[in-house]
Amino acid sequence: MINILIVDDQKHIRDGLQAMLRQFPLQLGSIYCAANGLEAMQCLRQHCIQLVITDIMMPDMDGLTLMAKTKEEHIKVDFLIISGYSDFAYAQKAIGLGVKGYLLKPVKREDLQAAVDHVYQEIQTRQALSRNMEHLSRRAQETDRKELRMFMQGAASDEAWIEQTEQQHPELWQRYRLCLLREELWINQPGASSSHSIESIAYQVYGRHGCICLQHRPYLILAVDANVEVQALPAALKTAQIDAIIAMTDPFHGLKELPNSYTQVLELYQHSYLFPDKPCILPEQIEKLEQQWELPYDELYALFQLIGTKNSGKIAQGISMIFHKDVLQRYHIHYTQQLCRATVEMLEEYERVILPYMGEETLDTACLHNLFDYPGIRDYIQALQQQLLRLNQFYYEYKCSYRNSQDLNEAIRFIHESYHKPLDLAMVSNHVSLNYTYFSNLFKKNIGKGFAEYLRDVRLDKARRLLAETDHKIVEVAAMVGYESYKSFTRAFREVMNMQPTEYRQFMRRKHERERKQNTAL
């Protein structure tokens, strides 16, 4: 699809040419019109146009001057010249300016279509070739970047490759820093990372020859000119209102040092978790961190002693104290990693004890194994605290189940003793001195059915025995098992047994008679 500009000082010619173009079987985009070369230049500056069809003789700026002007301003566009003059000198000058066709007025429809079709095919071929070249160039750049990234991450390379790669950016590799950038995104924050925006700003700061992108994911890593002021990139990102974590290494010299600089930038990035208020982490900021320590096992044991109690507030407070930033910021990041690992291991030990009693409920301790899966240390501590509080709740319910088992057994004994009397949930919960709602939930959770359903099953079980083994009337049986009315008893019996009490009694008597005869025959 191409856009076309028609330039002619006569409106009826412009309209006629536009009408003819719309009838051609070509994929045309927008068609613009101008009355002279000056208007045409303004249109060319404002719009993406591939073909200009222009008259030669026009006021203010003629067609040949228009062609020359586009060359001066490096506007890439093809021209078809239309003129009422058959003088070869015009055609010769137009050819010198690169015209694609020369048509005489009045323009014939078939001549215009043939000329436009010819230019259209040329443009399509050039666009396809340009796309292919861009694709090949992009593939080559991606291959180079992949090789650099692999070398940076520790892959072996020979001296010839190192020397050849250094020559592609000799000034940069002479003195460079590695810079790791990751946009600060909160958990569940919508929107994608703006790593490409950050990369674009970096190229503005360092220039095309002073910056190479080595990695896009999981975070952006750039090799940048070490001669540029360290704070230049953080300042540019701040101006662009992009909040990013930045780790920047010491200056390194030569491509051979790239793996060492990569190790340093990763260590700096990890330390950014200790200093969330510092947007840019530099080597001098972590040099004085202590390298020896003892983990606070006594505090951890004391924290886990609270598990299974109602002291959820103290548990949250304990986590905050153990992982207090003033403590973490004294030591190398490995201290924080070891502290996280020790806490999670205790969490998993406690979980294993009550795992058989948890049913389908589980903790998500796998999400706590890697601190650096989180946007920052605060997010990790919040997730750890959440799992601890869940464990506390599980343990509390686990302990309560043991305390309540005696009460529950007493409630069941009372139901079996008192089923023949008027009985409801309130009476049973009062008997065992438990809250009505709490007892209802406890009963259903442990017995597997609600109180009313359980009481009905106990009464009907007694009723079946009376119907099968005695001659009591149905109404008497109903009263004997606690039903106040014959109708409610028969309805409940039919719902459970799919037959009337009288039918059940007849069925059981026939069954007993068959068994008696079989025993007699034996």
Side-chain angles (χ1 to χ4, degrees), residues 206-489:
Y206 297 101
R208 284 286 163 185
H209 298 291
C211 179
I212 296 177
C213 178
L214 301 175
Q215 177 178 297
H216 276 119
R217 296 183 182 87
Y219 24 68
L220 187 65
I221 296 182
L222 306 172
V224 300
D225 186 355
N227 296 311
V228 176
E229 172 63 33
V230 168
Q231 294 301 324
L233 181 56
L237 292 175
K238 184 177 180 180
T239 301
Q241 297 184 334
I242 295 178
D243 294 326
I245 296 170
I246 307 172
M248 197 172 294
T249 68
D250 289 320
F252 283 84
H253 305 274
L255 188 59
K256 286 184 179 180
E257 289 296 313
L258 185 60
N260 293 332
S261 63
Y262 178 65
T263 300
Q264 187 184 80
V265 81
L266 288 183
E267 183 180 28
L268 288 169
Y269 167 67
Q270 291 177 347
H271 278 87
S272 70
Y273 278 71
L274 301 182
F275 304 97
D277 299 328
K278 293 184 178 180
C280 183
I281 301 295
L282 301 172
E284 55 264 30
Q285 294 171 338
I286 68 170
E287 286 176 354
K288 295 182 180 180
L289 295 179
E290 296 181 30
Q291 299 281 345
Q292 295 183 354
W293 55 78
E294 289 186 6
L295 292 180
Y297 283 110
D298 289 342
E299 287 86 345
L300 280 174
Y301 291 141
L303 173 68
F304 277 87
Q305 286 300 310
L306 297 172
I307 296 297
T309 68
K310 290 186 176 181
N311 295 317
S312 58
K314 288 186 177 181
I315 293 173
Q317 185 179 3
I319 282 289
S320 298
M321 292 300 295
I322 292 172
F323 286 86
H324 197 279
K325 70 174 184 177
D326 291 342
V327 177
L328 301 183
Q329 289 177 357
R330 286 174 49 194
Y331 302 109
H332 190 279
I333 187 64
H334 288 165
Y335 170 83
T336 301
Q337 290 178 278
Q338 289 180 13
L339 180 59
C340 293
R341 191 177 305 117
T343 308
V344 173
E345 286 175 355
M346 287 190 182
L347 191 64
E348 291 174 336
E349 283 182 17
Y350 269 69
E351 183 190 23
R352 278 193 289 272
V353 173
I354 62 166
L355 195 60
Y357 306 94
M358 291 172 65
E360 296 182 358
E361 297 279 0
T362 58
L363 298 179
D364 186 12
T365 55
C367 75
L368 300 172
H369 287 172
N370 187 4
L371 164 65
F372 305 113
D373 286 340
Y374 290 80
I377 185 69
R378 294 190 186 100
D379 304 280
Y380 180 86
I381 294 172
Q382 184 178 358
L384 178 60
Q385 179 177 294
Q386 182 182 10
Q387 294 303 315
L388 265 172
L389 292 177
R390 287 192 70 203
L391 177 68
N392 179 60
Q393 182 63 31
F394 287 140
Y395 251 85
Y396 182 74
E397 292 176 357
Y398 168 65
K399 289 181 177 180
C400 286
S401 67
Y402 271 100
R403 288 196 297 268
N404 293 329
S405 61
Q406 187 174 356
D407 294 328
L408 196 60
N409 289 336
E410 173 58 24
I412 292 172
R413 186 196 65 78
F414 180 70
I415 291 170
H416 280 266
E417 279 189 356
S418 309
Y419 70 91
H420 58 287
K421 302 175 183 178
L423 197 62
D424 58 24
L425 182 63
M427 295 172 63
V428 180
S429 62
N430 287 335
H431 178 76
V432 293
S433 301
L434 290 177
N435 173 271
Y436 178 92
T437 303
Y438 176 77
F439 175 72
S440 176
N441 293 333
L442 176 69
F443 192 94
K444 188 168 186 178
K445 181 177 180 180
N446 287 272
I447 303 302
K449 60 180 72 174
F451 168 80
E453 184 181 357
Y454 184 81
L455 177 59
R456 181 203 65 187
D457 291 347
V458 170
R459 285 172 166 172
L460 293 183
D461 182 60
K462 304 294 184 181
R464 285 194 296 271
R465 292 185 183 180
L466 291 171
L467 290 170
E469 298 173 3
T470 72
D471 294 325
H472 291 297
K473 296 178 180 179
I474 304 299
V475 68
E476 293 174 340
V477 170
M480 292 171 69
V481 297
Y483 282 93
E484 295 181 355
S485 71
Y486 170 81
K487 185 180 292 185
S488 60
F489 168 68

